[in-house]
Structures are given as structure tokens and as C-alpha cells.
Amino acid sequence: MTTITTTDLSQVVEDAAAHLYVWALKDIPQDLRDALGRARDRETSVTGIRVLETIHRNVEIADAQKNLVCQDTGIPVYYCHVGELFPLHPARIQASLKTGTERATLEHPLRSNTVHTLTRESTGANVGYRVPIVHWHFVPDWDGLDVKCVPKGSGSENMTFLKMLFPADGVAGIKRFVLDSIVDAGGKPCPPGIVGIGLGGSADYAMHLAKEAIARPVGTRNPDPLVAQLEDELYDLLNETGIGPMGLGGDVTVLQCHIEHADTHMTLNPVAVNYQCWAARRASAHIASDGTVDFDREA
Ligand code: SF4
């Protein structure tokens, strides 16, 4: 963990974003490394083992050369937990996250991915209208700011599914939809990865929850025991599909299955599935009101 102290909070947040974006792309968290190691140990298909060893070698080379684990620098996504007493307004935080992302892209340099969604023309250095994407949580009685950067690769983001089930479909319907989604995705999202599932709320909120689920440390369990049990059951079920590493067949199709949930309307049963490829990049900064920054790869 590295600690930096300064007082210009706009600059602190900008510098933190610039660091987080590059760091997340190069140095994957230990829990993900461990999950990839366990996957290699339990895979029995020759092709699957070869794929997982190639991924392992890829990560080693990225470490040794201080290079990216994947060429797709993703769409930049930030999750912010802002204390009500943090002395920088969220509008300024958002502006600093954008400038930091732009700076990281130009200074490294990184591949820029952002385009206008209709013209497909570049909108800049991984920034654009409403990009980076920033999600907010507001925390009472606290003066800190936590920022988590989750660059999301397009191969796995394209494998995203939403279904408004009937309430009567119940848990069996949820399992069927998740299973169908992952079987349809096959090798396209660069498996084995993390399946994020959002249950409940509304259509848009279920999708938001699915994205939050993929950003959790690998293998953490939902605090609700019923939901945690469903995470375990789906993890086992998805690994019985035989899709395997990169869709080439094998025992390991997913590294984990994470679920986030919200209460919902009595006539709603939304289920969202968001796939996160093996390159499940994330990096966090904890910023204190005095400008002290603790960088944290594992949060
Ligand atoms: S899906 Fe993930 S591993 Fe595959 S190319 Fe995209 S970022 Fe890289």
C-alpha cells in the first residue's frame, strides 16, 4: 500500500484516477491470481490446461515488462463511495475522474476506445459524453472518498443479458436464465471469468447490480445466506456446462458467480447477467479529507 499526502483535492482525485486506470490494467488483484491458479489446478482437459497456462504466462509477462494484461483498455468505469463530509463536491470529483482518465490515456499512452455511439467517431482519450461512467454511493457521517476503477473490456461486456421474469418463475427460472445466458455466450467473453448477477429492483437497477457484482473481490459471498447459497449453486451449475477456458471445452467455465440483489415490486422479477472476462481488472484508492491517498489493489 502506497500513501500520498497533499491538499488540492481536485488534483488528488485526478492523480488517483490517472494512477488507478493504468494500475488496474497492469496489475491484477491477488484474489484473481489465486482464482486463476486454482482453475489451472482443477482443469483436466488438455486444451483447457494449455489455455489457463497461457493466461498465467500472459500475467507473468505483464508483471515482468510492466505492461497491460490485455490490449483492450476497456471502457473506464468508476465506483465512488463519498462521505457526506468529504470537502469536494461530486461534480468536481466527476470532473477530476474524467481529467485523470484522459491524462492516463495520453501520458502512458493507452489505446483509446471511446466513440460517438452513432457516428462511431472517436470522442477522445477514453473520455466522451457521459464517459467515464461513474456510479455513486453516498455515506452519512463520513469525510472520506473511496474510488474503485473497473476498466471493462468489450468482449465480456457484450455478453450481457436482461430478462424480466414472471414472479412465478421463481428461483428455478432465475437459474435457467443464467444458465442459458452463459451457454449462449460460449467462448465470446474470454472465459473463465466472473458471472455477475443482479436480482430485483427494476430493469436498470438489476443491471447496475450485476455490474457491481463483477467488481467484488473474487469468491466473496453475499451476506444474505439465501443469496450466498444461490451463488454456490450457480457456480457449480455453470461449471458443469463444459464450455471451458476460452470456450474450447473443459471443467472450468467460470471462476466465480457473484450476486447482488435488491427488493422489488411484487409483480416484478428482473434478472440481469453481466460477464467479466478472466482479465477482471480493478484497483481502488481511499482518499481522506486531508488529501491522504491509500492505494489498494485488493478492495
Ligand atoms: S474480453 Fe477481456 S480478456 Fe478478452 S479481449 Fe476483452 S478485455 Fe481482453
Side-chain angles (χ1 to χ4, degrees), residues 70-72 152-156 188-190 246 276-279 281:
C70 182
Q71 41 73 37
D72 185 353
K152 190 65 163 61
S154 64
S156 59
K188 291 195 279 289
C190 296
M246 293 295 157
Q276 169 60 61
C277 60
W278 72 265
R281 299 159 296 186

mmCIF file of all heavy atoms in Angstrom, residues 70-72 152-156 188-190 246 276-279 281, ligand 1:
data_model
loop_
_atom_site.group_PDB
_atom_site.id
_atom_site.type_symbol
_atom_site.label_atom_id
_atom_site.label_comp_id
_atom_site.label_asym_id
_atom_site.label_seq_id
_atom_site.Cartn_x
_atom_site.Cartn_y
_atom_site.Cartn_z
ATOM 1 N N CYS A 70 -4.102 -7.090 -20.949
ATOM 2 C CA CYS A 70 -4.863 -7.282 -22.190
ATOM 3 C C CYS A 70 -4.829 -5.976 -22.981
ATOM 4 O O CYS A 70 -4.811 -4.890 -22.401
ATOM 5 C CB CYS A 70 -6.303 -7.689 -21.897
ATOM 6 S SG CYS A 70 -7.230 -7.972 -23.428
ATOM 7 N N GLN A 71 -4.875 -6.131 -24.310
ATOM 8 C CA GLN A 71 -4.814 -4.938 -25.174
ATOM 9 C C GLN A 71 -6.060 -4.069 -25.055
ATOM 10 O O GLN A 71 -6.013 -2.868 -25.340
ATOM 11 C CB GLN A 71 -4.593 -5.333 -26.641
ATOM 12 C CG GLN A 71 -5.391 -6.549 -27.134
ATOM 13 C CD GLN A 71 -6.873 -6.302 -27.335
ATOM 14 O OE1 GLN A 71 -7.249 -5.220 -27.778
ATOM 15 N NE2 GLN A 71 -7.705 -7.272 -27.014
ATOM 16 N N ASP A 72 -7.179 -4.664 -24.645
ATOM 17 C CA ASP A 72 -8.416 -3.872 -24.555
ATOM 18 C C ASP A 72 -8.397 -3.082 -23.243
ATOM 19 O O ASP A 72 -8.564 -3.661 -22.169
ATOM 20 C CB ASP A 72 -9.644 -4.783 -24.625
ATOM 21 C CG ASP A 72 -10.935 -3.972 -24.662
ATOM 22 O OD1 ASP A 72 -10.862 -2.729 -24.507
ATOM 23 O OD2 ASP A 72 -12.009 -4.569 -24.843
ATOM 24 N N LYS A 152 -13.689 -1.978 -18.192
ATOM 25 C CA LYS A 152 -14.488 -3.144 -18.616
ATOM 26 C C LYS A 152 -14.260 -3.420 -20.091
ATOM 27 O O LYS A 152 -14.615 -2.613 -20.960
ATOM 28 C CB LYS A 152 -15.971 -2.835 -18.339
ATOM 29 C CG LYS A 152 -16.879 -4.038 -18.511
ATOM 30 C CD LYS A 152 -16.578 -5.130 -17.480
ATOM 31 C CE LYS A 152 -17.693 -6.158 -17.344
ATOM 32 N NZ LYS A 152 -18.015 -6.904 -18.540
ATOM 33 N N GLY A 153 -13.659 -4.568 -20.380
ATOM 34 C CA GLY A 153 -13.387 -4.967 -21.762
ATOM 35 C C GLY A 153 -14.676 -5.253 -22.511
ATOM 36 O O GLY A 153 -15.659 -5.721 -21.942
ATOM 37 N N SER A 154 -14.646 -4.981 -23.822
ATOM 38 C CA SER A 154 -15.890 -5.087 -24.598
ATOM 39 C C SER A 154 -16.297 -6.532 -24.851
ATOM 40 O O SER A 154 -17.480 -6.829 -24.966
ATOM 41 C CB SER A 154 -15.742 -4.349 -25.926
ATOM 42 O OG SER A 154 -14.732 -4.981 -26.697
ATOM 43 N N GLY A 155 -15.316 -7.441 -24.954
ATOM 44 C CA GLY A 155 -15.664 -8.834 -25.242
ATOM 45 C C GLY A 155 -16.602 -9.396 -24.198
ATOM 46 O O GLY A 155 -17.576 -10.100 -24.515
ATOM 47 N N SER A 156 -16.330 -9.081 -22.949
ATOM 48 C CA SER A 156 -17.202 -9.600 -21.901
ATOM 49 C C SER A 156 -18.429 -8.708 -21.700
ATOM 50 O O SER A 156 -19.513 -9.197 -21.401
ATOM 51 C CB SER A 156 -16.438 -9.788 -20.593
ATOM 52 O OG SER A 156 -15.869 -8.593 -20.142
ATOM 53 N N LYS A 188 -17.167 -16.405 -26.248
ATOM 54 C CA LYS A 188 -17.022 -14.997 -26.648
ATOM 55 C C LYS A 188 -16.501 -14.072 -25.535
ATOM 56 O O LYS A 188 -15.760 -13.143 -25.826
ATOM 57 C CB LYS A 188 -18.354 -14.475 -27.212
ATOM 58 C CG LYS A 188 -18.720 -15.117 -28.556
ATOM 59 C CD LYS A 188 -19.799 -14.367 -29.279
ATOM 60 C CE LYS A 188 -21.191 -14.700 -28.784
ATOM 61 N NZ LYS A 188 -21.696 -16.036 -29.130
ATOM 62 N N PRO A 189 -16.887 -14.271 -24.258
ATOM 63 C CA PRO A 189 -16.402 -13.318 -23.252
ATOM 64 C C PRO A 189 -15.052 -13.695 -22.629
ATOM 65 O O PRO A 189 -14.747 -13.241 -21.523
ATOM 66 C CB PRO A 189 -17.519 -13.351 -22.203
ATOM 67 C CG PRO A 189 -18.078 -14.728 -22.282
ATOM 68 C CD PRO A 189 -17.926 -15.180 -23.712
ATOM 69 N N CYS A 190 -14.214 -14.483 -23.336
ATOM 70 C CA CYS A 190 -12.900 -14.887 -22.820
ATOM 71 C C CYS A 190 -13.006 -15.554 -21.453
ATOM 72 O O CYS A 190 -12.423 -15.080 -20.463
ATOM 73 C CB CYS A 190 -11.935 -13.698 -22.764
ATOM 74 S SG CYS A 190 -11.529 -13.001 -24.367
ATOM 75 N N MET A 246 -11.774 -20.320 -22.620
ATOM 76 C CA MET A 246 -11.906 -19.740 -23.967
ATOM 77 C C MET A 246 -12.942 -20.481 -24.827
ATOM 78 O O MET A 246 -12.919 -20.412 -26.051
ATOM 79 C CB MET A 246 -10.564 -19.693 -24.708
ATOM 80 C CG MET A 246 -9.576 -18.738 -24.093
ATOM 81 S SD MET A 246 -10.115 -17.013 -24.177
ATOM 82 C CE MET A 246 -9.171 -16.309 -22.822
ATOM 83 N N GLN A 276 -17.810 -10.926 -16.707
ATOM 84 C CA GLN A 276 -16.483 -10.311 -16.601
ATOM 85 C C GLN A 276 -15.455 -11.357 -17.000
ATOM 86 O O GLN A 276 -15.399 -12.430 -16.406
ATOM 87 C CB GLN A 276 -16.230 -9.834 -15.162
ATOM 88 C CG GLN A 276 -14.800 -9.419 -14.870
ATOM 89 C CD GLN A 276 -14.337 -8.276 -15.739
ATOM 90 O OE1 GLN A 276 -14.903 -7.189 -15.711
ATOM 91 N NE2 GLN A 276 -13.326 -8.523 -16.560
ATOM 92 N N CYS A 277 -14.684 -11.044 -18.046
ATOM 93 C CA CYS A 277 -13.672 -11.988 -18.541
ATOM 94 C C CYS A 277 -12.613 -12.286 -17.471
ATOM 95 O O CYS A 277 -12.600 -11.665 -16.412
ATOM 96 C CB CYS A 277 -12.995 -11.385 -19.757
ATOM 97 S SG CYS A 277 -12.181 -9.813 -19.385
ATOM 98 N N TRP A 278 -11.694 -13.191 -17.801
ATOM 99 C CA TRP A 278 -10.644 -13.564 -16.839
ATOM 100 C C TRP A 278 -9.823 -12.338 -16.424
ATOM 101 O O TRP A 278 -9.311 -12.300 -15.301
ATOM 102 C CB TRP A 278 -9.723 -14.647 -17.427
ATOM 103 C CG TRP A 278 -8.811 -14.140 -18.513
ATOM 104 C CD1 TRP A 278 -9.030 -14.196 -19.868
ATOM 105 C CD2 TRP A 278 -7.553 -13.480 -18.340
ATOM 106 N NE1 TRP A 278 -7.993 -13.604 -20.536
ATOM 107 C CE2 TRP A 278 -7.072 -13.160 -19.624
ATOM 108 C CE3 TRP A 278 -6.788 -13.118 -17.235
ATOM 109 C CZ2 TRP A 278 -5.864 -12.493 -19.834
ATOM 110 C CZ3 TRP A 278 -5.578 -12.452 -17.439
ATOM 111 C CH2 TRP A 278 -5.130 -12.152 -18.723
ATOM 112 N N ALA A 279 -9.695 -11.340 -17.343
ATOM 113 C CA ALA A 279 -8.908 -10.135 -17.021
ATOM 114 C C ALA A 279 -9.793 -9.195 -16.194
ATOM 115 O O ALA A 279 -10.175 -8.115 -16.648
ATOM 116 C CB ALA A 279 -8.417 -9.467 -18.300
ATOM 117 N N ARG A 281 -10.107 -6.705 -14.106
ATOM 118 C CA ARG A 281 -9.221 -5.649 -13.593
ATOM 119 C C ARG A 281 -9.977 -4.698 -12.676
ATOM 120 O O ARG A 281 -11.078 -4.267 -12.985
ATOM 121 C CB ARG A 281 -8.620 -4.902 -14.799
ATOM 122 C CG ARG A 281 -7.798 -5.838 -15.663
ATOM 123 C CD ARG A 281 -7.605 -5.349 -17.056
ATOM 124 N NE ARG A 281 -8.855 -5.255 -17.802
ATOM 125 C CZ ARG A 281 -8.912 -4.962 -19.095
ATOM 126 N NH1 ARG A 281 -7.811 -4.759 -19.766
ATOM 127 N NH2 ARG A 281 -10.079 -4.867 -19.699
HETATM 128 S S1 SF4 B 1 -12.939 -9.865 -23.065
HETATM 129 FE FE1 SF4 B 1 -11.348 -9.405 -21.524
HETATM 130 S S2 SF4 B 1 -9.624 -10.784 -21.959
HETATM 131 FE FE2 SF4 B 1 -10.993 -10.774 -23.749
HETATM 132 S S3 SF4 B 1 -10.089 -9.203 -25.112
HETATM 133 FE FE3 SF4 B 1 -11.674 -8.174 -23.865
HETATM 134 S S4 SF4 B 1 -10.618 -7.361 -22.045
HETATM 135 FE FE4 SF4 B 1 -9.247 -8.857 -23.022
#
